Amino acid sequence: MKRFKKFYIEITSVCNLACSFCPPTERKANFIKIEDFSHTLDQVKPYTDHIYLHVKGEPLLHPKLDQLLDISAEKGFKVNLTTNGTLLRKAGPKLLGKPALRQINFSLHSFDGHEGSKDKEGYVSGVLAFAREAVRQSGIIISLRLWNLDENNATNQERNRNREILSMLEREFGLERPIEDTFARGRGLKLADRIYLNQEHEFKWPDLKAEEDEGKGFCHGLRNQAGVLSDGTVIPCCLDGEGVINLGNIHQKPFAEIIEGERATRMYDGFSRREVVEELCKKCGYRQRFGASG
């Protein structure tokens, strides 16, 4: 039986921001129902212990997020949550003290990515105050993300853009050296107990309109990860935000049958031969950058 290190469950397709790095979904606005979430967990339980409540959408928008976390704990799952952190004032109390929560990732780059954002200092201060309290109350891990580095200008422009946030972090955590002096892209910088900063290049979603590559290479989709969109569509990885590679619907067919189905098998076997069979995968920069050799 396959075992996935990561399993993505999108609990809503709706987001409160419109970031330049995240194309808006063309799918119907949807919030997963409690019973559908519970059914999904039952279906994937034999395959994973770790779920990630994110593909597209902002999970803190879900009005019953606290109940979803309680159900996750009851069924023995550890949860990772990725959020832009702008809704903590209202939704933060739903997160504190939840035993299922293993890690929360805050996409701090969302502030500059969303046109019209205001009060950066207030935004970052709110995230940091929550992070401190969450760590104090539980064994949770906090990852502060600045995923907006420019591959073509990796020393000046993006660091200037981030300097204000980095200065706030240096003051908050009493760092003696500027973060740039200890920065290594892709490696977490420990700021405090269970609080880390991660900086990476700007995330690029694969796009069917993009240029197709030679169709060779490898990917861990359906090997160490898979996912389900908020409407039940099963996808092979977290990068298929529109459900282009629709493997089936988990509310219409058992998950065990879906991942052993014809399309999933063809994709899995293709990567085993270092051949890319899905059009979207041939236009995925993430695979090109990290998955060429397997």
Side-chain angles (χ1 to χ4, degrees), residues 211-226:
E211 186 176 342
E212 192 170 300
D213 67 15
E214 78 287 352
K216 300 294 183 182
F218 180 82
C219 179
H220 292 283
L222 290 179
R223 275 180 162 77
N224 71 6
Q225 67 165 284

Side-chain angles (χ1 to χ4, degrees), residues 42 112 150 157 239 258:
D42 289 340
D112 287 320
D150 184 346
Q157 183 177 337
L239 301 179
I258 292 174

Side-chain angles (χ1 to χ4, degrees), residues 7 24 35 39 46 71 101 157 173 178 206 217 220 237 242-243 276 283:
F7 198 94
E35 58 269 26
H39 170 77
I71 292 170
L101 270 178
Q157 183 177 337
F173 296 102
H220 292 283
C237 74
E242 291 300 285
V276 184
K283 300 177 177 182

